[in-house]
Amino acid sequence: MKKMKILGLDSSGLVASVAVVEDDNLLAEYTVNYKKNHSQTLLPMLDEIARMIDLDLQDIDAIAIAGGPGSFTGLRIGSATAKGLGFALEKPLVQIPTVDGLAYNLYGCRDMVCPLMDARRNQTYTGLYEFTRKGMEVLTPQCAIGIDGIVEDINGKNRPVIFLGDGVPVFRSFIEENCKVPFSFAPAHLNKQRAAAVAALGLVYCREGRTQTAAGHVPDYLRLSQAERERLERA
């Protein structure tokens, strides 16, 4: 089977991350979780790792992008970057649901995996996943739901669960008070978005033919922006 090289990008939340994966090798990853504007960081981060590993961008086979949900601004920046690269390099894009990419950080975990992204107003972008010999299986597809709703879903499945994502510190006390199954929280090196996971999952999708053109890529916001919701409420 031909070796495949995938560029991964994730700017869906507070983290900005760029990675290059070639088959089962992570060649480079640059991840920053700090108060920076993703529009000022993604391309310089890509330039840096390309220089460090002598990467000719024409050699990549596809661009995997965390396609939502997440920060509206972050998703637009990531989408514009991926589309621009796709057009310039004439390469396909692989859209990775952000919550799926987060779950993929914990590949091989025996417990259920529950990513939590803070969607404000006591809402979370979340889903439920498990890992089997077939790979990652989706138990509850990514959705926008109240934290009480996903915890109720977890309790109903009566299985141990591990939580990760920027929603953990926001909802931790609710989880500790209301989750009735054994639970744990992912450690610091695995609990936020990582482009390495996006690229690795993108490699799987790419081999399955789940690609799209740069022109066809549109972020999946899952719900209206706060400004749009407030405008509808006033109307």
Side-chain angles (χ1 to χ4, degrees), residues 92-219:
L93 270 58
V94 186
Q95 181 155 334
I96 305 298
T98 303
V99 180
D100 292 25
L102 255 175
Y104 210 66
N105 280 355
L106 301 183
Y107 188 96
C109 180
R110 290 176 296 178
D111 296 342
M112 284 193 306
V113 174
C114 181
L116 295 173
M117 298 174 65
D118 182 16
R120 307 296 174 86
R121 297 188 175 189
N122 225 30
Q123 296 276 305
T124 179
Y125 298 126
T126 187
L128 285 176
Y129 304 82
E130 69 175 351
F131 292 95
T132 69
R133 291 181 179 178
K134 296 180 181 178
M136 186 170 74
E137 305 285 340
V138 180
L139 302 176
T140 299
Q142 69 171 20
C143 56
I145 190 174
I147 184 61
D148 55 340
I150 192 63
V151 170
E152 182 180 355
D153 189 4
I154 290 167
N155 289 338
K157 289 182 167 49
N158 197 30
R159 292 175 52 188
V161 62
I162 183 167
F163 295 96
L164 73 160
D166 62 27
V168 167
V170 178
F171 302 118
R172 184 165 186 146
S173 61
F174 184 92
I175 292 167
E176 291 173 342
E177 292 172 9
N178 295 278
C179 193
K180 302 185 186 306
V181 301
F183 62 87
S184 59
F185 301 101
H189 65 297
L190 296 172
N191 68 8
K192 300 292 191 306
Q193 286 93 332
R194 290 186 61 181
V198 171
L201 189 53
L203 181 67
V204 175
Y205 285 5
C206 198
R207 286 198 165 130
E208 293 174 351
R210 297 165 65 178
T211 62
Q212 60 185 183
T213 64
H217 170 69
V218 178

Side-chain angles (χ1 to χ4, degrees), residues 1-4 23 203 207:
M1 185 181 295
K2 173 186 176 293
K3 283 190 174 183
M4 296 193 73
D23 286 353
L203 181 67
R207 286 198 165 130

Side-chain angles (χ1 to χ4, degrees), residues 16 28 77 91 99 146:
I77 291 168
K91 302 292 182 179
V99 180

